[in-house]
Amino acid sequence: MPRTDEQEILRRLELISQIKPSPESTARAMERVRRVFVSMSEKKEISNQIKIVRIWGSIMKTKMLRFAAAAVIIIGILFGLHQFGVRIDGTAVVWADVMEQIYNARTVTYRETIKTEDNPPTTVEEMVMEPGHIRTTFNNSISITDLALNRDLQLYPNEKKATITQRIGMKQRKQPFNYLNWVTKLKDRTGQFTRQQVLDGQAVDVFLFQQEYEKTTVWVDPKTNLPVRVEREIIPNPDKEIISPEMALRSDDFEEVKEGEMIITKGISFYGGGGMVKKMIMVISDFVWDANLDPSLFSIEPPPDYAVEQEQLDVSNPDEQGLIEVLALWSEMSDGFFPSAIKDLVDPNMVKPILVEKFAKGGNPVDELELAMPVLNKILKALVFAQQQRIYGEWGYAGDGIRLGETNEPICWWKSDDTGTYRVIYGDLSIGDSSEIPQQK
Amino acid sequence: MQRLLEVFERSETELHTLLARLVLREDIAEELMQELFVKLANFKGLDKVKDLAAYAHRTAVNMAFDWRKARDKSACRLDDVPEPVSDLISPSSKFAQNEEIEEVLGAIAQFRGASREAFVMRYIQQQSYEYIAGEMGKTPNQVCALCFKALMHIRYLLSDKELRYSKKGGRDAED
């Protein structure tokens, strides 16, 4: 054995510092901790946290576009099952069992129907394989998502086209993202066993989870402790100034599309919590838990005979810098004027002309649409940021009639609950702090 | 609970890796990871802990070394022989290297407090003095001194063991 001088000790320490447990072991350890949280949830309420879920989808259509907007929403709503969480009251033990069963499931398939005010009901078929692989079939298109890689593959079999979207700006998880692992994301919601019921000839337990902007009912098979049906109602914020940040652009917004040519529609929709959404009801049914699914169904490699497009989508958190960039863009495209109201950022009658003016240069309409989408993303994110401030703190906007460069004019300001000062953006797009609500000159 | 969830989200792999390095067994590291969060969740003073992540780290280190001490006290069975948890240790040198790092970890287990905390962060987790200083509320120089002191202590312990080993004519005699 070597003499244990300092160098020898350091060499051994170096060896130790290089040891890494296997991914399987880490996954097992994480699972055990999650079970701790499940059991603890029986005893304690878990406080809520502002959680922004970003939703994005793109579909390609012919001139039959009436489903386009709905599709954008649907793709977002597919994350519904993942989002609902509970607080356990008197029925803690029973619901904890359900959560554990869900967590233990490695695959699930189900059908999800979305009803919104503006669109006819739409149904998608979904398959989930852990860790974090999702396959959605909707209207002759297939969407495959790998949550660990932050990557989506959209397939259009009729056209033999594929789009790979890499989501950027979000922290790469060190562990595989488990789609069904919402147990660890428990939120401050009251949940209670309401009744037993017969559903499709089967005795089920019914649980109700209700919070400010959401009501979820879960029908559970008591034999398996697994959900057989979920209904989730999303309720908009009663504040009429809080609106759903979503918009779709079409390639023919930019250039004329000849008869018989494809019109591409792409949309972005955010679900920012706090009722920042249109009213909708989702019904999730036809669950098959732990089905034997072929892993190749979740491959994010496009078929070899498909034409492939690659794109990126910035899904970083909305922040004040993003708001400043959007105000700068707006003023640049509007003779120096800022938006007259912050909700102009989601008004297609105002946003589309700005994007068309900036990107329609007589080229390929699809290319121009592609260039415009990241900017639309920024604009909607700026709105999400502003609305978050309004929902969770204080927000004021006074940009109407102000032009870029009016140094001392406050454009907007906000204050979070936990800070004593207002952040203020001025007419020259500088940003500062103020102990009181800024006054316009 | 929310804070605990945040710690879990933020440090899950770090804590598990740390435990694996300190106990050299995957199964035990998994068990300790669970025990750690049970312990934290049941700790009544949790709300008063300012830096929960640092507290979780300290608790994990203490639990790992407590496990080592308890194991060393108990009778050694064949299936208790530690398995290397890293592919970086080649099979041919597995046994010797395992013994070597077991010795070092055993020595670290002999002291507690700030020295051990700093030492583990520095040499097991490869953190900078500046980072450790920030975590412990000390200056980098103080951390450096703590680590040096710990290193000297380990050297003394291992040299002393070697001395006893050689005097008694080998490991069998010592055991």
Side-chain angles (χ1 to χ4, degrees):
Chain A
M1 185 172 295
R3 200 172 71 82
T4 45
D5 61 9
E6 283 167 48
Q7 288 309 313
E8 171 58 20
I9 294 168
L10 291 174
R11 185 189 68 80
R12 296 182 193 183
L13 287 166
E14 175 80 21
L15 275 176
I16 298 170
S17 73
Q18 290 169 1
I19 289 173
K20 282 184 182 162
S22 66
E24 293 78 17
S25 173
T26 303
R28 284 196 298 271
M30 298 310 114
E31 182 168 337
R32 292 176 79 144
V33 176
R34 286 182 190 112
R35 283 168 192 246
V36 172
F37 284 116
V38 169
S39 62
M40 292 311 295
S41 69
E42 296 171 18
K43 300 175 189 170
K44 287 189 178 182
E45 187 175 325
I46 297 168
S47 64
N48 199 6
Q49 188 183 24
I50 298 170
K51 180 74 179 173
I52 305 303
V53 178
R54 284 156 216 86
I55 294 161
W56 181 87
S58 71
I59 58 168
M60 182 162 61
K61 292 286 181 187
T62 61
K63 287 193 176 182
M64 288 284 290
L65 284 167
R66 66 193 178 94
F67 292 116
V72 172
I73 294 165
I74 289 156
I75 291 165
I77 298 311
L78 296 175
F79 291 84
L81 184 64
H82 160 64
Q83 289 165 22
F84 63 79
V86 293
R87 177 196 143 203
I88 311 302
D89 286 333
T91 56
V93 174
V94 175
W95 183 250
D97 290 345
V98 176
M99 287 196 293
E100 184 163 350
Q101 288 304 311
I102 292 174
Y103 179 69
N104 285 338
R106 303 327 298 163
T107 71
V108 61
T109 66
Y110 54 85
R111 175 175 292 137
E112 184 167 18
T113 300
I114 298 100
K115 301 170 189 169
T116 62
E117 290 172 334
D118 306 336
N119 295 290
T122 312
T123 299
V124 298
E125 307 283 341
E126 186 146 7
M127 297 176 176
V128 178
M129 176 180 272
E130 299 293 20
H133 303 285
I134 306 159
R135 177 188 174 101
T136 306
T137 307
F138 166 69
N139 201 25
N140 296 325
S141 71
I142 298 162
S143 168
I144 301 165
T145 298
D146 187 325
L147 293 171
L149 297 176
N150 295 327
R151 195 174 298 158
D152 302 323
L153 170 67
Q154 295 271 341
L155 296 173
Y156 309 99
N158 291 346
E159 293 83 18
K160 288 197 177 294
K161 285 182 186 290
T163 305
I164 298 171
T165 304
Q166 182 67 49
R167 278 168 276 133
I168 57 170
M170 64 198 297
K171 189 182 165 191
Q172 188 73 34
R173 285 180 62 85
K174 290 177 182 170
Q175 289 302 307
F177 188 105
N178 283 3
Y179 184 66
L180 296 170
N181 185 17
W182 45 269
V183 176
T184 61
K185 309 281 184 190
L186 297 177
K187 295 186 172 68
D188 178 16
R189 302 179 188 191
T190 54
Q192 58 181 0
F193 170 78
T194 57
R195 63 190 184 279
Q196 285 195 317
Q197 188 185 328
V198 175
L199 180 72
D200 299 330
Q202 178 186 9
V204 291
D205 295 334
V206 186
F207 294 85
L208 179 66
F209 308 99
Q210 198 155 11
Q211 68 161 166
E212 203 170 4
Y213 303 112
E214 196 173 318
K215 190 171 94 175
T216 302
T217 310
V218 184
W219 287 261
V220 173
D221 178 353
K223 290 176 192 161
T224 61
N225 277 330
L226 284 165
V228 293
R229 180 184 175 88
V230 176
E231 278 188 20
R232 188 168 175 236
E233 183 180 359
I234 305 292
I235 303 155
N237 194 308
D239 181 348
K240 297 297 175 197
E241 295 297 310
I242 302 298
I243 44 187
S244 178
E246 62 181 51
M247 199 181 300
L249 297 176
R250 296 164 40 153
S251 53
D252 65 347
D253 287 332
F254 295 86
E255 307 291 344
E256 189 181 343
V257 174
K258 292 172 190 166
E259 190 63 38
E261 285 185 350
M262 300 291 289
I263 293 177
I264 309 296
T265 297
K266 290 198 171 187
I268 300 174
S269 172
F270 287 80
Y271 177 30
M276 206 187 297
V277 68
K278 287 178 181 167
K279 181 175 180 177
M280 62 181 73
I281 296 171
M282 288 152 285
V283 179
I284 308 171
S285 62
D286 300 276
F287 283 95
V288 179
W289 295 92
D290 277 324
N292 190 16
L293 301 178
D294 184 348
S296 67
L297 290 168
F298 301 90
S299 168
I300 53 170
E301 287 300 318
D305 55 338
Y306 275 43
V308 181
E309 285 179 25
Q310 308 255 4
E311 55 189 35
Q312 288 190 328
L313 183 75
D314 180 6
V315 292
S316 57
N317 282 325
D319 57 17
E320 61 185 35
Q321 195 53 43
L323 176 59
I324 290 171
E325 284 177 29
V326 168
L327 290 173
L329 167 76
W330 195 283
S331 61
E332 175 199 330
M333 305 303 292
S334 309
D335 292 331
F337 284 102
F338 292 111
S340 54
I342 198 67
K343 62 183 179 183
D344 287 355
L345 300 186
V346 76
D347 183 347
N349 296 320
M350 307 192 79
V351 173
K352 279 190 183 180
I354 287 176
L355 295 175
V356 168
E357 188 180 339
K358 188 167 179 65
F359 295 105
K361 305 292 182 193
N364 182 319
V366 179
D367 292 345
E368 291 171 356
L369 170 68
E370 295 291 350
L371 290 171
M373 288 306 292
V375 180
L376 176 64
N377 186 40
K378 272 190 178 180
I379 291 172
L380 294 180
K381 274 169 69 172
L383 178 72
V384 171
F385 177 77
Q387 295 195 141
Q388 280 180 317
Q389 310 313 316
R390 186 180 179 95
I391 293 169
Y392 301 111
E394 282 182 54
W395 162 264
Y397 184 81
D400 189 17
I402 312 264
R403 297 183 81 153
L404 178 64
E406 295 185 32
T407 310
N408 296 321
E409 292 290 353
I411 303 298
C412 54
W413 55 90
W414 63 91
K415 186 173 81 165
S416 305
D417 283 340
D418 55 349
T419 61
T421 56
Y422 290 88
R423 293 289 279 168
V424 187
I425 296 177
Y426 295 94
D428 61 352
L429 294 180
S430 62
I431 188 161
D433 292 324
S434 170
S435 58
E436 53 191 28
I437 295 177
Q439 300 295 316
Q440 284 187 293
K441 300 285 183 293
Chain B
M1 181 70 93
Q2 182 61 38
R3 291 175 69 211
L4 205 50
L5 276 168
E6 284 167 13
V7 168
F8 175 57
E9 285 277 300
R10 211 170 55 236
S11 344
E12 51 187 21
T13 45
E14 284 85 346
L15 285 171
H16 181 237
T17 302
L18 172 63
L19 286 168
R21 287 173 186 170
L22 296 182
V23 300
L24 302 178
R25 278 180 58 177
E26 286 190 336
D27 56 339
I28 300 298
E30 291 163 27
E31 210 166 279
L32 289 178
M33 189 73 181
Q34 181 181 6
E35 276 180 33
L36 169 67
F37 278 87
V38 169
K39 198 169 185 174
L40 292 172
N42 288 327
F43 177 44
K44 287 182 180 158
L46 199 69
D47 291 341
K48 292 173 188 167
V49 177
K50 278 186 182 173
D51 187 343
L52 195 51
Y55 182 78
H57 179 273
R58 273 199 304 278
T59 309
V61 171
N62 289 339
M63 286 174 70
F65 284 116
D66 287 347
W67 174 83
R68 296 192 74 84
K69 282 184 182 174
R71 184 205 57 173
D72 292 345
K73 279 180 190 171
S74 65
C76 181
R77 302 196 318 265
L78 189 62
D79 59 355
D80 280 339
V81 174
E83 290 294 327
V85 291
S86 169
D87 293 338
L88 297 168
I89 301 177
S90 66
S92 58
S93 59
K94 199 183 280 184
F95 185 75
Q97 288 193 349
N98 232 16
E99 275 215 327
E100 289 171 2
I101 59 180
E102 278 283 345
E103 271 186 347
V104 172
L105 288 168
I108 301 171
Q110 300 299 311
F111 55 97
R112 292 183 76 96
S115 290
R116 186 166 80 183
E117 192 184 343
F119 191 81
V120 167
M121 277 198 269
R122 177 69 186 134
Y123 292 108
I124 308 289
Q125 296 186 281
Q126 303 275 299
Q127 303 286 8
S128 68
Y129 288 125
E130 289 74 18
Y131 174 86
I132 301 166
E135 290 290 297
M136 296 181 67
K138 297 186 181 298
T139 67
N141 281 344
Q142 286 171 326
V143 171
C144 190
L146 283 171
C147 290
F148 181 74
K149 188 178 152 191
L151 186 62
M152 290 302 102
H153 191 60
I154 290 168
R155 186 183 171 187
Y156 165 78
L157 288 171
L158 295 186
S159 303
D160 188 47
K161 191 178 175 185
E162 272 179 19
L163 194 63
R164 283 186 281 118
Y165 180 88
S166 60
K167 277 183 181 172
K168 291 183 180 180
R171 189 174 184 82
D172 290 341
E174 185 192 24
D175 289 342

